[in-house]
């Protein structure tokens, strides 16, 4: 519980920075920090395997991919100022605050937490994953293959007069 | 404080931050950053309910998070590939300037 109390504000601060920072690279690096802290949060909750997967996939792949894309698409005018654009911030907050209010009201109504910590045995996780959820695993495999081909197609260099 | 309520509050605020980023950012890549934040907020909920909710022998929470992470990674890869292609065609990732479908 103490670790959650320490970690939660840190995650929120990093996420706030990712939303607020004017420079895209700073925002992306703070996103990586938020995702890493998130992984630590999973470890603190006892979901070891999920925390490690979060580290590997989110911090190792997604965040790095985002930073690389920012570097590739770099422009001369690269600051992006939310704070100085009330025109975007006001409608944004008008849409966000009601959603936040509903979520917080719902969150405050949860029943008391059960104290017994569930175990996450890897062997059982693997058994359930590849028996009960085998169709879903296959579907994800097909999806990832399609993504691999699609991303390669999109990112391929095309000649100007190529159809 | 109830740890489950604490985690749900954390994920609510994180989801709202992601939504704010999606609604206010102009750079398409930074909108993807907001989407990643929202996906993570949902994942926190799954793990929180698995850890502090009623006992769950089938480990539905962690398994859902595993699939969610795989799909989020796929979404980021395709999204960034599309953004890179748009950048190569239009030399910008500013969504306000990508208005050729604007009537």
């Amino acid at each position: 519980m103490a670790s959650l109390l320490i970690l939660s504000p840190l995650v929120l601060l990093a996420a706030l920075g990712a939303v607020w920072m004017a420079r895209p690279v700073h925002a992306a690096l703070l996103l990586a920090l938020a995702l890493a802290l998130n992984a630590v949060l999973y470890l603190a909750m006892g979901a070891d395997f999920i925390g490690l997967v979060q580290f590997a996939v989110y911090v190792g792949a997604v965040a790095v991919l985002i930073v690389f894309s920012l570097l590739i698409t770099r422009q001369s005018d690269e600051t992006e100022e939310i704070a100085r654009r009330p025109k975007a911030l006001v409608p944004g907050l008008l849409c966000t605050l009601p959603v936040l209010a509903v979520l917080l009201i719902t969150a405050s109504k949860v029943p008391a937490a059960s104290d017994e910590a569930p175990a996450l045995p890897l062997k059982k996780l693997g058994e359930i994953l590849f028996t009960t959820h085998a169709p879903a695993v296959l579907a994800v495999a097909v999806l990832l293959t399609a993504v691999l081909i699609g991303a390669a197609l999109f990112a391929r260099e095309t000649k100007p007069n190529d159809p | 404080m109830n740890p489950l309520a604490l985690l749900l509050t954390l994920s609510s605020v994180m989801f709202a931050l992601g939504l704010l980023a999606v609604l206010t950012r102009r750079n398409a890549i930074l909108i993807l950053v907001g989407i990643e934040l929202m996906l993570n907020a949902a994942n926190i909920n799954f793990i929180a309910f698995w850890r502090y909710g009623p006992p769950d022998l089938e480990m539905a929470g962690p398994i859902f998070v595993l699939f969610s992470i795989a799909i989020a990674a796929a979404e980021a890869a395709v999204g960034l590939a599309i953004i890179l292609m748009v950048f190569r065609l239009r030399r910008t990732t500013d969504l306000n300037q990508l208005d050729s479908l604007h009537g």
Side-chain angles (χ1 to χ4, degrees):
Chain A
M1 183 61 204
S3 55
L4 295 188
L5 275 176
I6 298 167
L7 277 169
S8 305
L10 292 180
V11 174
L12 275 189
L13 274 182
L16 185 67
V19 173
W20 201 257
M21 279 293 169
R23 283 186 174 272
V25 175
H26 292 178
L29 290 177
L30 276 168
L31 172 77
L33 180 64
L35 298 176
L37 286 170
N38 221 320
V40 178
L41 192 70
Y42 292 159
L43 294 179
M45 276 193 270
D48 309 2
F49 183 63
I50 306 296
L52 294 178
V53 169
Q54 166 96 2
F55 255 124
V57 176
Y58 265 116
V59 187
V62 174
V64 171
L65 205 60
I66 286 177
V67 172
F68 270 133
S69 311
L70 281 173
L71 295 181
I72 290 173
T73 61
R74 199 163 199 164
Q75 291 155 59
S76 52
D77 167 37
E78 66 166 7
T79 55
E80 152 137 15
E81 59 295 326
I82 297 186
R84 274 162 273 162
R85 291 197 330 128
K87 221 172 76 188
L89 192 61
V90 169
L93 281 177
L94 276 182
C95 296
T96 307
L97 288 180
V99 174
L100 180 62
V102 171
L103 286 176
L104 286 180
I105 291 169
T106 317
S108 66
K109 282 187 193 149
V110 290
S114 78
D115 243 358
E116 49 176 311
L120 188 61
L122 269 187
K123 189 163 178 251
K124 183 133 186 283
L125 186 71
E127 274 171 17
I128 292 178
L129 203 56
F130 289 104
T131 52
T132 320
H133 299 286
V137 172
L138 290 178
V140 167
V142 172
L143 172 81
L144 288 178
T145 313
V147 163
L148 192 68
I149 297 169
L153 259 180
F154 281 144
R156 193 184 49 151
E157 194 77 49
T158 45
K159 294 186 183 67
N161 48 3
D162 225 21
Chain B
M1 190 182 173
N2 184 348
L4 185 55
L6 172 74
L7 286 165
L8 293 188
T9 309
L10 165 71
S11 86
S12 306
V13 178
M14 203 160 151
F15 186 88
L17 282 174
L19 184 61
L20 187 66
V22 169
L23 291 174
T24 54
R25 290 285 199 186
R26 281 180 304 169
N27 187 333
I29 298 177
L30 295 181
I31 288 180
L32 265 183
V33 166
I35 294 175
E36 297 299 333
L37 279 180
M38 292 200 280
L39 281 166
N40 255 275
N43 287 350
I44 293 179
N45 272 6
F46 281 123
I47 297 292
F49 276 112
W50 164 77
R51 171 66 179 79
Y52 294 108
D56 164 25
L57 298 176
E58 292 295 312
M59 299 193 278
I63 284 176
F64 217 120
V65 171
L66 277 183
F67 285 116
S68 162
I69 288 177
I71 289 168
E75 165 259 318
V78 171
L80 288 171
I82 291 174
I83 291 170
L84 285 188
M85 192 174 67
V86 169
F87 178 76
R88 205 179 293 132
L89 291 173
R90 307 287 301 265
R91 310 311 297 172
T92 182
T93 53
D94 185 340
L95 291 184
N96 285 352
Q97 290 176 33
L98 301 174
D99 53 2
S100 36
L101 283 181
H102 196 275

